[in-house]
Amino acid sequence: METGHGTPPSDPTDVFRDVVSTLRETRRGVHQHRMAQALLKKDASGSRLVALVDDTERAVFFNPASRTLESVPFDREGTHEKDAEVLSRQLSDPAAWVEANASELEWIHPHFRWTCGLDGEYVRP
């Protein structure tokens, strides 16, 4: 796995803008800001936002406490945990999963783009 050089991106405002930009391209309506806020609220509360999948209808989160990677549907009301699907268990770091699935992801968190060395080559499908 290639690792990014320098300091990994971590500015929450930049991540918010990046998510909103992607949602504007992929989801109809005027609630992209609320959807991004919901994703980053969950990210700030312990689960790490990793990627957006399924035409940005679902977000992939890594829970370091349970070491699980989950796909969670979301909308302007927030994330819908009851409809979450476990993608992987006993995972220590989601970077290998990101690398293996990068071509199928609509958006990848800047930290994982950096970690996997995808910044220069990552182009949304």
Side-chain angles (χ1 to χ4, degrees), residues 1-5 7-10 15 18 40 43 46-52 60-64 68-69 91-102 105 107-122:
M1 172 179 9
E2 183 181 332
T3 301
H5 300 285
T7 305
S10 60
V15 174
D18 197 24
L40 295 178
D43 181 73
S47 290
R48 294 184 62 198
L49 178 61
V50 174
L52 299 179
V60 175
F61 287 95
F62 174 63
N63 183 324
T68 56
L69 193 67
L91 196 64
S92 59
D93 182 359
W97 182 89
V98 169
E99 246 182 6
N101 294 282
L105 306 175
W107 177 85
I108 299 171
H109 191 288
H111 174 82
F112 294 103
R113 289 194 303 249
W114 177 85
T115 299
C116 297
L118 299 172
D119 258 340
E121 64 191 62
Y122 179 72

Side-chain angles (χ1 to χ4, degrees), residues 26-96:
T26 58
R27 306 247 325 231
R28 294 182 179 257
V30 295
H31 301 289
Q32 292 87 1
H33 285 85
R34 287 181 60 190
M35 289 187 272
Q37 286 172 334
L39 295 175
L40 295 178
K41 180 179 178 183
K42 182 172 172 62
D43 181 73
S45 66
S47 290
R48 294 184 62 198
L49 178 61
V50 174
L52 299 179
V53 296
D54 297 338
D55 295 322
T56 68
E57 296 289 328
R58 299 177 78 84
V60 175
F61 287 95
F62 174 63
N63 183 324
S66 64
R67 296 177 44 198
T68 56
L69 193 67
E70 296 182 330
S71 170
V72 181
F74 69 95
D75 58 23
R76 67 183 185 198
E77 304 302 322
T79 57
H80 303 284
E81 310 305 321
K82 64 180 175 39
D83 297 318
E85 297 174 11
V86 175
L87 301 173
S88 184
R89 296 181 193 279
Q90 300 302 312
L91 196 64
S92 59
D93 182 359

